[in-house]
Amino acid sequence: MNNLLETPIEYLKGVGPARGELLRKELGIHKYGDLLHLFPNRYIDRTRYYKVNELINNNAEVQVVGKVMNLKTVGEKKTRLVATFSDGTGEMELVWFQGQKWIRENIKINIPYVVFGKASAFNGMFNMAHPEMELLSDHEQSLRSAMQPIYPSTEKLTQRGITNKVINNIMQQLFRETQALYSDVLPPSIINEVQLIPKNAALFNIHFPKSPELLARAQFRLKFEELFFIQLQLITKNLIRKHKIKGHVFDKVGIYFNDLYQNHLPFELTGAQKRVIKEIRHDMGQPAQMNRLLQGDVGSGKTIVALMSMLLALDNGFQACLMAPTEILANQHFIGLSELAQPLGINIKILTGSTKTAERRIIHEELENGTLHIIIGTHALLEDKVRFKNLGLAVIDEQHRFGVEQRSRLWRKNDIPPHVLVMTATPIPRTLAMSLYGDLDISVIDELPPGRKPIQTVHRYDSNRLKVWKFLKDEIAKGRQVYIVYPLIQESEKMDYKDLMDGYESISRDFPLPQYSVSIVHGQMKPSEKDSEMARFAAGKTNLMVATTVIEVGVNVPNASVMVIESAERFGLSQLHQLRGRVGRGADQSYCIMMTGQKLSNDSKTRLETMCRTNDGFEIAEVDLKLRGPGDIMGTQQSGVLNLQIADIVRDKDILQLARHHAIRLLQDDAPLSKPEHAALRHAFIEMGKKKNIWNYIS
């Protein structure tokens, strides 16, 4: 059977070379198996047959059984063909504006037909334009079910005559030729426990559902199987890595770690931070490479956890590195970590694109001879010249900004790869994390350091600007500082740049010297200019910072307590949340003010309402996932991972969790899938692995 599904699609009766080529180009259907997995987008309920005297003028699609009594051409230039259609309770008209010759030659008078289409009333009589028509005798023998499937399509397919009806017919032909004998690959134990209908019945009822109940069961079965295979793949990958990829055993908790923990921590660690450090210590104490994703909201204290992890590497005689996506962020990590590392006598340096050649030489030398303990840097760390004596831990901040190839270059700097800690301040909803990073172990810091006050967030229209400006002046009078952020969207960079410069000029007028001082930072400035403006603001020499989103990630100015976001409707939810996280870093009450025009789309309203309602990054990420879907959230790099055919990560999260639970249980019982009852599953799993190299994308 499975061999038959490998048959090229043009060999299916009713397809042929020309249609085959179109299906390949437009829908990616190359063979029988691809067509089988072209699942409908939606269904039209055709369980009911209406009588002509029951029709009401609501523009709904209906089907009626009756006979064509006569045909006539109407209009001065014979513009339309009209048939009188009767079912005994009344008469209606069927109307065609195109294809009249073919209809006239093929329609049978006084023979029962089923007609389907939109019925609308005109001059006291119902009519149906371009109805779908089928002889009642054919209709009764057809595989087509009462729930009529509507398949994905494209404009080109419709133009070239491959309508939904044509796809429906070739799908019927597929089931006739293959006899619908599709073998089950899931083990009987799972099928029974989850009460899944057989694969055969599921595939038949997804295309030709006999009832809404059977359709629901078919969808559940196919979604479960799809998500089960993804989870099986991810968990297996994790197990293989733990068995195959050896790691350095960090079994000592020594002087560096203990000295910082007992004597130099500026604040008490939260319960969440302690729990996460414990998980990391456990991982790094194993003879397998750690691969852990550390999720924590903006300001939750991930950096201190990263430092404690690095100190474990140092205590065991190894070096550590931290890689950040931008120079600003790398510098900030460097300043923050240097303060903590200094009293411990740790040698810590920074390497970025703007590091001078003389400094680079010293850094390269100290890394190779082992006297440099911790290096913080950007992509510059990946250069071939950068060699370590013994790299034990690599920390990567905001990993979705680095490509797979870039990350693997870091691993190859050692014979035994370093332990890996990936940090992100972009909260990833649990369902998405299970699907994208299911092969990583995940730690979450889900509480903020004590003493932090939640940021008050409000939405204001442009008409309230004077009141907002007065509020800013009051805050500045208290000694606080303010960010004002403008959107920068690449397509219209010139226009956005103008927005920013106009904004800067009007703010400079409204907040004049010498009483106020304004900084500006945008993407068209040189890095050195950006850094000096940021430094002036951080040092409190300017009151307001007018910027584009370059300040989105990681910038830390505890005295900045107000964030104004201009044209907030043009930002995504995660970006709004990231921007808000730039304030609220000190002990003062902080505020985020989102400014917009009056006209807002429904999605924009949802985003703004969500921001005003909650500070919880994970809740915000869930809303974002519902609005945008998984592909957008992860960016193009990760979108290939979730080419799901029928399941939906957002809507089907309960099925996903159930599938993951069963995948874990199965692998705990029989990791190599060597038991006789797992033979079909093992075969399908290996075949899928050959076809889908998408798994390379994941971490």
Side-chain angles (χ1 to χ4, degrees), residues 79 144 246 592 611 656:
T79 48
R144 193 179 306 164
K246 296 289 167 250
C592 174
M611 287 292 294
L656 171 65

Side-chain angles (χ1 to χ4, degrees), residues 645-665:
Q645 290 177 307
I646 188 164
D648 178 296
I649 288 281
V650 185
R651 289 198 293 270
D652 302 321
K653 60 183 181 188
D654 294 346
I655 306 178
L656 171 65
Q657 285 170 352
L658 184 68
R660 185 169 174 84
H661 164 74
H662 281 282
I664 291 170
R665 259 187 32 189

Side-chain angles (χ1 to χ4, degrees), residues 174-462:
L174 176 74
F175 274 77
R176 287 191 196 100
E177 284 190 28
T178 56
Q179 296 297 308
L181 298 172
Y182 309 117
S183 51
D184 260 304
V185 293
L186 293 180
S189 56
I190 290 180
I191 290 174
N192 296 333
E193 194 175 335
V194 187
Q195 295 181 328
L196 299 171
I197 63 172
K199 182 74 172 276
N200 246 347
L203 283 166
F204 186 83
N205 279 285
I206 205 83
H207 294 293
F208 311 109
K210 293 293 176 204
S211 68
E213 294 73 35
L214 271 169
L215 173 61
R217 295 196 66 190
Q219 287 171 327
F220 182 86
R221 159 71 207 236
L222 295 170
K223 286 175 180 183
F224 178 89
E225 186 165 318
E226 182 168 45
L227 294 168
F228 177 80
F229 270 104
I230 286 179
Q231 293 306 316
L232 205 57
Q233 200 100 22
L234 290 166
I235 299 157
T236 304
K237 192 174 174 197
N238 195 350
L239 291 173
I240 289 170
R241 183 159 55 211
K242 284 180 176 167
H243 284 293
K244 278 195 177 170
I245 303 183
K246 296 289 167 250
H248 305 288
V249 179
F250 294 172
D251 49 9
K252 271 211 312 248
V253 179
I255 192 156
Y256 287 125
F257 187 95
N258 287 324
D259 190 14
L260 179 75
Y261 187 69
Q262 285 157 17
N263 307 319
H264 301 290
L265 273 184
F267 43 76
E268 172 73 15
L269 293 179
T270 63
Q273 284 172 313
K274 287 176 182 169
R275 183 188 71 241
V276 168
I277 290 169
K278 207 170 179 179
E279 288 166 353
I280 291 167
R281 268 177 57 178
H282 173 267
D283 276 9
M284 299 205 306
Q286 307 299 312
Q289 184 200 25
M290 169 174 86
N291 245 322
R292 192 166 275 282
L293 174 69
L294 173 59
Q295 281 187 260
D297 223 331
V298 176
S300 61
K302 294 183 296 298
T303 313
I304 198 88
V305 169
L307 178 62
M308 305 286 286
S309 310
M310 290 188 203
L311 297 184
L312 282 172
L314 270 54
D315 280 336
N316 286 274
F318 287 88
Q319 295 162 295
C321 73
L322 189 156
M323 190 162 78
T326 63
E327 284 204 20
I328 289 178
L329 199 49
N331 274 311
Q332 194 170 293
H333 279 308
F334 177 64
I335 294 160
L337 294 178
S338 297
E339 280 173 25
L340 292 162
Q342 213 170 4
L344 307 174
I346 288 169
N347 185 4
I348 178 169
K349 286 200 165 80
I350 182 165
L351 178 67
T352 66
S354 48
T355 306
K356 303 277 187 294
T357 312
E359 286 174 58
R360 276 171 189 267
R361 272 200 211 101
I362 297 168
I363 288 172
H364 291 162
E365 205 173 292
E366 289 186 353
L367 276 178
E368 286 195 56
N369 66 29
T371 54
L372 181 51
H373 300 116
I374 295 175
I375 181 85
I376 295 183
T378 54
H379 296 77
L381 291 180
L382 302 171
E383 290 167 7
D384 292 336
K385 290 179 198 147
V386 180
R387 294 198 190 92
F388 294 82
K389 184 181 180 189
N390 51 2
L391 179 62
L393 171 68
V395 181
I396 300 178
D397 198 14
E398 295 301 333
Q399 86 131 16
H400 58 276
R401 303 209 178 185
F402 295 103
V404 178
E405 173 54 28
Q406 290 171 316
R407 298 198 300 265
S408 64
R409 278 166 65 185
L410 201 50
W411 302 180
R412 295 199 289 268
K413 296 206 179 261
N414 255 31
D415 294 338
I416 292 183
H419 292 296
V420 179
L421 182 66
V422 168
M423 301 198 299
T424 180
T426 310
I428 304 162
R430 191 173 141 65
T431 45
L432 198 56
M434 283 196 304
S435 304
L436 283 165
Y437 299 113
D439 61 328
L440 292 183
D441 299 305
I442 298 177
S443 291
V444 179
I445 302 180
D446 47 13
E447 57 183 301
L448 288 179
R452 286 268 172 99
K453 293 179 181 149
I455 299 161
Q456 284 187 20
T457 305
V458 293
H459 168 215
R460 295 286 180 265
Y461 291 105
D462 289 334

Side-chain angles (χ1 to χ4, degrees), residues 105-214:
E105 286 169 4
N106 286 280
I107 210 157
K108 296 181 167 69
I109 304 290
N110 230 357
I111 302 283
Y113 274 97
V114 178
V115 298
F116 175 77
K118 280 185 180 170
S120 49
F122 181 70
N123 282 346
M125 190 173 197
F126 276 94
N127 66 62
M128 197 181 274
H130 290 273
E132 275 186 37
M133 295 185 73
E134 195 175 16
L135 287 168
L136 180 62
S137 54
D138 291 349
H139 182 79
E140 285 168 343
Q141 286 171 8
S142 162
L143 271 179
R144 193 179 306 164
S145 65
M147 306 282 294
Q148 190 187 329
I150 304 297
Y151 289 96
S153 187
T154 67
E155 211 175 312
K156 200 168 191 181
L157 286 177
T158 315
Q159 282 169 356
R160 301 284 285 278
I162 303 183
T163 57
N164 194 65
K165 188 175 181 183
V166 169
I167 291 181
N168 212 304
N169 287 339
I170 62 174
M171 196 66 80
Q172 291 186 49
Q173 184 58 32
L174 176 74
F175 274 77
R176 287 191 196 100
E177 284 190 28
T178 56
Q179 296 297 308
L181 298 172
Y182 309 117
S183 51
D184 260 304
V185 293
L186 293 180
S189 56
I190 290 180
I191 290 174
N192 296 333
E193 194 175 335
V194 187
Q195 295 181 328
L196 299 171
I197 63 172
K199 182 74 172 276
N200 246 347
L203 283 166
F204 186 83
N205 279 285
I206 205 83
H207 294 293
F208 311 109
K210 293 293 176 204
S211 68
E213 294 73 35
L214 271 169

Side-chain angles (χ1 to χ4, degrees), residues 551-571:
I551 60 139
E552 181 186 332
V553 175
V555 179
N556 191 11
V557 181
N559 193 44
S561 64
V562 186
M563 165 66 68
V564 178
I565 304 173
E566 293 284 358
S567 307
E569 72 276 16
R570 288 169 66 183
F571 290 93

Side-chain angles (χ1 to χ4, degrees), residues 500-602:
L500 177 79
M501 297 321 287
D502 285 354
Y504 175 64
E505 281 166 24
S506 71
I507 287 160
S508 300
R509 279 197 303 274
D510 294 338
F511 295 85
L513 287 162
Q515 194 180 353
Y516 303 101
S517 173
V518 185
S519 284
I520 183 164
V521 171
H522 56 79
Q524 295 178 12
M525 290 163 73
K526 289 181 184 143
S528 56
E529 292 171 352
K530 264 194 261 186
D531 290 346
S532 77
E533 282 289 278
M534 291 300 286
R536 282 178 65 214
F537 185 68
K541 290 176 183 165
T542 57
N543 313 102
L544 297 103
M545 161 70 77
V546 177
T548 57
T549 52
V550 289
I551 60 139
E552 181 186 332
V553 175
V555 179
N556 191 11
V557 181
N559 193 44
S561 64
V562 186
M563 165 66 68
V564 178
I565 304 173
E566 293 284 358
S567 307
E569 72 276 16
R570 288 169 66 183
F571 290 93
L573 247 183
S574 64
Q575 228 180 354
L576 289 171
H577 180 61
Q578 290 281 349
L579 285 168
R580 172 167 64 182
R582 299 302 113 235
V583 294
R585 293 180 161 245
D588 303 316
Q589 177 62 56
S590 288
Y591 304 90
C592 174
I593 304 166
M594 300 180 293
M595 305 292 295
T596 71
Q598 292 288 341
K599 282 185 182 171
L600 294 174
S601 68
N602 287 337

